[in-house]
Amino acid sequence: MSFPLLKQTFKSNFAVWGLVTLVMNIILAQLIMMKQTRTMMAPMYYGMLVSTMVALFVVICGNKLLAGQVDQGSMAYILTAPIRRTTVAFTQMIYMVLSLVGTYGLMAIVSVSANNIADAGFKAQTLVNLNIGAFMVAFAFAGIMFAASGIFNLSKYSLGTGGLLIILFILLAIVGSFATYGVDALKDVQHLTIVSLFDYQNILIEGSKWISKLAVLGGIGVVTFGIGTTVFAKKDLPL
Amino acid sequence: MNQMVNTVHLTKDYKKNRGIFDMNLQIKQGEVVGIVGKNGAGKTTTMRTLMGFIHPTDGYSEIRGLNSWSQASKTKRMIGYVPGEIAFPDTKSGETFLNNQLKLLRASKDTYVNDLIQRFKIDLTADIKRMSKGMKQKTALVCAFMTKAPLLLLDEPTTGLDPVMRDAFIDLVLKVKANGTTVFLSSHMFNELERTCDRILFLKDGKVIDVVDQNKFETIHSFQKVKIQTSTSEGFQKILTSFSETSHVNSENHEITVLISNTKVATLLVLLQDIEIDDISFDTQTLDNYFEKELQVK
């Protein structure tokens, strides 16, 4: 890993990361603190909002980490330094994962604190588990975007594949979520999206099925991050 | 002598006759070598391959004996690079960019860097996004030279530079050359290469079709390009029959351009005594003329 590069990446993505993280935390705290929204907090926030909002950061930043800089040409300056391409990809990946850990770690702290302050009645462990689950969705998204970013030399292709796939998963998840409200025919839609692998309902009833589902999300993330790094290290770069 | 760059049957085939083909190139330490050619001749592809950004379809290239693809992270320690297309990362000013770059290189800002900045008269406080083309080019040059690398790969380093800065660049190349730095640069401005290069490779359709070295420079300069416009067609015909090597003939205007060696100038002047002339000009042959001629032949 290259620390100077990590620092540069952190700086150039700080605004988007900060904004998305701030908004996500404010909404979460509000949903827990307000009495009327409290019961709907999990389906609203962890069912839809959380993955939609984090997708913004993942898609914008994921594209910029590799494909965007190759497309722009500024990757030439990073690669003029004696750094291996694998190291560059690995550093960018570390940034992506660490910033997501930051976002969801903060959300875990904020949700537990809001729960205590407002006496909302959630178990702290449940809130932590919900955030772990939501993190795994973001991790898989990040991997998908990273793979697209590593494969393509043009932003439009990286956004058009990785970005589009992520949006598609979110839309299917939203459509599928209506199955919970009695539209049984939509139940199958849930099998078409990886977002449903985050089984927040099972976490709420303190079941155990959710853990193995999250492992699948983790697997998707690991494989796709691997693909992005490998392809980026071996392809021709127009720099 | 120390071999700095070595390419063996280096080929990058982009199909449709694009790319570079079977390039065998040796550059010794301390040499300054230029590469010229039209757009799409393969100059940038050559540079990118030497940088290890492109995997050759056949053959290989080495920097001081290290393979430029498989050992790219090691070879880059020895290279300062100016890309053909300048695009900087999203940073505030030129200063932040240079500082970031120095950190990546694990170097610090010393007097040499300051000297370079002075030399190119760069305003480092300027917003990097609003920099003019020339300003960006100068910043990129500082970036390459500040590495103090033993090998500089410069892809069209003078695009966008004004004549004064172009001279500053040439001076700098000559200065680092005196320190033993090897420079490999591409350009389509022949005359700036003439002042710096020990050798110039002429690239066409991905192949080196001609090499001009010091001896050939002298031969080229020993020719005069004479442009004559005669008043009558008799005089025009007379010149045409006496001088076989013409590069440009226009019988309507009675205009003729002949290429003669310096030793034969007297003969021409004698012949011109009896011919009525509207206009005449003498020019020492330059690389421009030479390659123009070569292009027509090959």
Side-chain angles (χ1 to χ4, degrees):
Chain A
M1 199 182 68
S2 159
F3 276 104
L5 178 62
L6 187 70
K7 217 173 128 190
Q8 281 178 34
T9 307
F10 177 80
K11 268 190 187 163
S12 67
N13 289 291
F14 184 75
V16 188
W17 176 81
L19 199 69
V20 168
T21 304
L22 185 72
V23 172
M24 284 171 84
N25 275 292
I26 290 174
I27 294 178
L28 175 60
Q30 200 164 14
L31 288 175
I32 292 174
M33 309 254 278
M34 286 189 354
K35 244 189 192 143
Q36 283 185 312
T37 54
R38 200 167 287 158
T39 47
M40 289 298 290
M41 188 278 287
M44 254 176 94
Y45 192 79
Y46 290 101
M48 280 181 223
L49 288 175
V50 76
S51 34
T52 314
M53 286 188 291
V54 84
L56 260 177
F57 167 70
V58 166
V59 172
I60 294 173
C61 168
N63 175 61
K64 216 166 123 188
L65 289 179
L66 299 173
Q69 294 194 64
V70 173
D71 189 354
Q72 196 191 6
S74 56
M75 184 59 83
Y77 294 95
I78 298 173
L79 288 176
T80 310
I83 305 174
R84 290 198 300 165
R85 283 199 214 172
T86 335
T87 314
V88 172
F90 190 70
T91 307
Q92 304 294 58
M93 180 184 102
I94 293 281
Y95 166 75
M96 189 54 138
V97 175
L98 281 185
S99 54
L100 289 175
V101 168
T103 304
Y104 288 88
L106 211 62
M107 271 162 50
I109 295 168
V110 166
S111 56
V112 170
S113 317
N115 183 43
N116 284 344
I117 294 164
D119 205 11
F122 291 104
K123 272 191 183 169
Q125 188 58 49
T126 306
L127 289 171
V128 170
N129 289 348
L130 282 172
N131 284 310
I132 291 174
F135 166 78
M136 294 309 278
V137 176
F139 179 70
F141 278 178
I144 291 168
M145 197 58 220
F146 193 82
S149 196
I151 292 169
F152 297 105
N153 289 335
L154 293 174
S155 284
K156 60 178 177 187
Y157 293 143
S158 139
L159 292 170
T161 51
L164 201 70
L165 193 63
I166 290 170
I167 291 172
L168 203 69
F169 279 147
I170 292 171
L171 289 177
L172 287 170
I174 292 174
V175 172
S177 71
F178 286 100
T180 325
Y181 307 104
V183 195
D184 276 347
L186 289 174
K187 201 139 203 173
D188 287 338
V189 177
Q190 292 182 343
H191 298 303
L192 297 174
T193 172
I194 61 165
V195 179
S196 59
L197 287 168
F198 165 34
D199 193 346
Y200 67 89
Q201 283 158 326
N202 192 257
I203 294 177
L204 283 175
I205 60 168
E206 290 170 53
S208 59
K209 271 200 297 183
W210 60 277
I211 298 173
S212 56
K213 286 184 184 175
L214 287 191
V216 178
L217 282 174
I220 293 172
V222 169
V223 170
T224 45
F225 270 118
I227 291 173
T229 307
T230 319
V231 176
F232 180 74
K234 288 191 175 156
K235 70 177 175 179
D236 283 354
L237 291 169
L239 297 171
Chain B
M1 253 226 264
N2 258 334
Q3 194 93 292
M4 190 50 117
V5 178
N6 182 29
T7 75
V8 180
H9 300 299
L10 188 66
T11 301
K12 179 69 191 180
D13 192 353
Y14 283 121
K15 305 283 181 270
K16 291 179 193 163
N17 223 9
R18 264 173 254 161
I20 50 172
F21 303 94
D22 198 28
M23 189 180 277
N24 292 294
L25 172 68
Q26 278 83 37
I27 302 177
K28 291 187 193 97
Q29 190 178 337
E31 262 192 308
V32 176
V33 177
I35 184 166
V36 294
K38 291 193 289 186
N39 295 333
K43 299 180 299 260
T44 300
T45 306
T46 311
M47 293 290 175
R48 285 176 181 170
T49 316
L50 290 177
M51 278 303 286
F53 291 158
I54 290 179
H55 188 257
T57 16
D58 201 12
Y60 61 91
S61 59
E62 291 174 332
I63 311 291
R64 265 192 190 155
L66 295 173
N67 190 296
S68 52
W69 171 262
S70 58
Q71 287 165 296
S73 65
K74 280 183 194 143
T75 59
K76 274 172 206 156
R77 242 178 258 282
M78 301 181 262
I79 307 178
Y81 179 55
V82 170
E85 214 170 292
I86 311 288
F88 295 130
D90 301 328
T91 47
K92 273 197 253 42
S93 63
E95 180 142 43
T96 349
F97 169 63
L98 283 184
N99 285 337
N100 283 345
Q101 205 56 29
L102 282 166
K103 273 181 210 148
L104 276 180
L105 295 167
R106 297 182 191 283
S108 56
K109 203 167 172 178
D110 54 15
T111 49
Y112 183 58
V113 181
N114 285 324
D115 175 57
L116 288 170
I117 293 165
Q118 294 282 318
R119 192 180 277 265
F120 286 116
K121 301 191 173 57
I122 297 175
D123 177 13
L124 281 179
T125 53
D127 187 330
I128 209 156
K129 290 270 161 222
R130 287 186 199 157
M131 275 189 183
S132 70
K133 195 172 180 194
M135 191 63 85
K136 280 186 187 163
Q137 190 73 39
K138 291 192 282 182
T139 312
L141 283 171
V142 170
C143 236
F145 280 92
M146 75 183 184
T147 59
K148 291 181 196 152
L151 172 65
L152 295 173
L153 297 178
L154 314 174
D155 195 357
E156 307 208 342
T158 55
T159 22
L161 295 191
D162 61 45
V164 179
M165 282 305 139
R166 196 164 291 163
D167 285 343
F169 167 75
I170 291 171
D171 284 348
L172 186 60
V173 170
L174 293 173
K175 195 184 154 201
V176 295
K177 185 191 176 185
N179 293 338
T181 306
T182 314
V183 184
F184 185 45
L185 71 162
S186 78
S187 180
H188 41 238
M189 314 281 283
F190 302 107
N191 295 333
E192 74 191 28
L193 291 178
E194 226 172 317
R195 285 173 59 189
T196 49
C197 293
D198 299 313
R199 258 191 302 159
I200 296 175
L201 314 173
F202 190 58
L203 202 60
K204 197 191 173 196
D205 296 331
K207 293 184 190 99
V208 178
I209 59 164
D210 199 2
V211 181
V212 177
D213 55 15
Q214 286 301 331
N215 287 335
K216 219 160 178 179
F217 275 137
E218 277 166 32
T219 321
I220 291 169
H221 290 159
S222 70
F223 277 86
Q224 291 291 330
K225 194 177 134 186
V226 190
K227 203 170 165 187
I228 310 160
Q229 193 177 10
T230 62
S231 333
T232 60
S233 61
E234 289 86 60
F236 174 73
Q237 287 303 330
K238 213 167 166 185
I239 300 171
L240 200 61
T241 45
S242 314
F243 290 92
S244 53
E245 210 175 339
T246 53
S247 64
H248 178 77
V249 179
N250 187 339
S251 46
E252 263 175 54
N253 300 346
H254 306 147
E255 225 176 58
I256 187 166
T257 309
V258 292
L259 206 60
I260 50 169
S261 82
N262 289 341
T263 52
K264 280 191 182 165
V265 172
T267 330
L268 177 70
L269 291 177
V270 171
L271 179 77
L272 290 176
Q273 277 182 334
D274 309 325
I275 297 170
E276 219 173 302
I277 294 166
D278 281 351
D279 194 14
I280 187 164
S281 69
F282 283 79
D283 276 312
T284 308
Q285 180 177 232
T286 56
L287 281 177
D288 278 314
N289 309 136
Y290 177 75
F291 282 122
E292 208 177 297
K293 209 174 67 191
E294 289 290 296
L295 263 179
Q296 283 166 355
V297 179
K298 281 169 186 170

